[in-house]
Amino acid sequence: MIKSLALKIRPSKNRAFIKEIDEPAGRFLESNSSNKTTTMARVLSLYKDDDGKEYRVGDKIIYHIGSGIPVKIAGIEYVIVDLDKILAKIENDKEEN
């Protein structure tokens, strides 16, 4: 359902429609639940100009909590965030030896 919903929701210019993911952050983020300021999310859809931003649908990203607009659709929470508020893109989340 998430995939078909994401195809129908297209954020306005230079924004991404994302869903927080609840999986271990591993070596990227250390979880401190009393002072959590960043979290990981998956990009579900986006609208961008050709200005060098390198985000695609399916990317795993890190963004600052509170930098986006929370949206609840069919009981599921999503966030619309400006692309320049995304802190990082996780290119390879597998441990390298």
Side-chain angles (χ1 to χ4, degrees), residues 29 43 50 83 94:
L29 298 172
V43 176
D50 293 327
L83 292 179
K94 294 179 182 161

Side-chain angles (χ1 to χ4, degrees), residues 12-82:
S12 60
K13 189 175 181 179
N14 292 322
R15 290 186 175 86
F17 181 70
I18 63 175
K19 170 127 179 48
E20 287 185 15
I21 51 178
D22 189 25
E23 63 181 58
R27 61 194 165 114
F28 294 104
L29 298 172
E30 290 188 22
S31 179
N32 180 353
S33 59
S34 64
N35 189 19
K36 189 175 179 184
T37 59
T38 58
T39 191
M40 294 191 337
R42 181 88 53 196
V43 176
L44 301 178
S45 67
L46 66 145
Y47 180 92
K48 63 179 180 171
D49 285 340
D50 293 327
D51 61 356
K53 300 272 193 261
E54 297 184 18
Y55 303 111
R56 292 186 165 82
V57 172
D59 283 348
K60 191 183 293 186
I61 55 129
I62 299 171
Y63 78 103
H64 189 274
I65 294 174
S67 64
I69 300 166
V71 178
K72 193 173 214 177
I73 301 170
I76 301 172
E77 294 185 19
Y78 302 93
V79 177
I80 297 174
V81 65
D82 290 338

Side-chain angles (χ1 to χ4, degrees), residues 49 85 96:
D49 285 340
K85 299 294 183 185
E96 294 181 17

Side-chain angles (χ1 to χ4, degrees), residues 1-7 19 44 76 78:
M1 179 176 157
I2 290 176
K3 207 163 202 147
S4 64
L5 177 65
L7 294 175
K19 170 127 179 48
L44 301 178
I76 301 172
Y78 302 93

